Amino acid sequence: MKLVFQRNSPTNTLVIDAATDDVVYNISTTSTRIVSQKTTIRDVRWREIAHWNNPRIGLGEITLRGETKAVSDWLHKDGRFSSTRKFLAPNGKMYAWHEILSSLNFKLIDCQTGQEVARSHRSSSGVFSTPRKMGLEVADELEPILDDIMLSFIILERNMRDSTGIS
């Protein structure tokens, strides 16, 4: 499944299925206080799928399937200095996001098989290549856990942009 972000923002955009042009997610962020933001993921029927309370310092907490957890408990690091983040999906499998440093993209690995199951790509203005919007390619069999993949990707992408100064 190829997902396309209509805006070059992981936290304020529509996410479209490239094959059907259908809206899959509406992602919006509001400031709840001077020091924090709330990013909400909604489906096409405007139902809240998940939200991330994102403080300016630290990772905050997420609510997914009605359960609230600290981001550091749900999307935990492999080790103190690791950039890899892992989460346990509802299908009982562990998945790990790895940053591809040369391109500032991410790939998602199934920890059980070692297979790459998702990959992000940056938007491109088209100066040296064909213009494209930011996107996320996800193996079709992972559609049942797409909410988890999308929420974890948004958190990682936003944090990477904050730390590198990319807008």
Side-chain angles (χ1 to χ4, degrees), residues 48-106:
E48 184 174 306
I49 301 299
H51 70 260
W52 171 35
N53 289 320
N54 176 18
R56 305 270 185 214
I57 299 172
L59 293 174
E61 62 184 24
I62 56 108
T63 300
L64 178 64
R65 288 181 293 282
E67 189 176 339
T68 300
K69 296 181 181 180
V71 171
S72 59
D73 291 339
W74 177 69
L75 190 60
H76 62 273
K77 280 188 171 187
D78 237 1
R80 184 174 200 158
F81 300 106
S82 174
S83 62
T84 299
R85 293 279 186 164
K86 292 182 176 180
F87 67 93
L88 182 64
N91 63 4
K93 289 181 150 189
M94 184 71 71
Y95 295 90
W97 282 108
H98 297 269
E99 189 173 342
I100 306 168
L101 296 175
S102 61
S103 61
L104 297 177
N105 289 315
F106 293 95

Side-chain angles (χ1 to χ4, degrees), residues 97-167:
W97 282 108
H98 297 269
E99 189 173 342
I100 306 168
L101 296 175
S102 61
S103 61
L104 297 177
N105 289 315
F106 293 95
K107 63 182 177 180
L108 184 64
I109 303 296
D110 178 327
C111 294
Q112 186 177 8
T113 66
Q115 294 283 96
E116 181 178 309
V117 293
R119 178 179 286 256
S120 69
H121 64 260
R122 299 228 149 284
S123 63
S124 165
S125 62
V127 175
F128 299 108
S129 62
T130 304
R132 72 176 180 191
K133 294 183 179 195
M134 181 173 82
L136 186 61
E137 293 185 43
V138 179
D140 290 336
E141 65 268 15
L142 296 185
E143 189 171 347
I145 64 163
L146 192 56
D147 298 344
D148 298 69
I149 292 170
M150 183 58 62
L151 178 59
S152 59
F153 172 70
I154 290 168
I155 292 169
L156 292 174
E157 179 71 14
R158 179 74 264 155
N159 288 338
M160 187 273 300
R161 287 178 182 217
D162 288 348
S163 68
T164 60
I166 295 172
S167 60

Side-chain angles (χ1 to χ4, degrees), residues 27-44:
I27 303 169
S28 61
T29 299
T30 56
S31 292
T32 56
R33 285 175 255 136
I34 294 174
V35 294
S36 73
Q37 296 177 326
K38 180 180 177 183
T39 298
T40 304
I41 302 173
R42 297 182 187 279
D43 67 12
V44 70

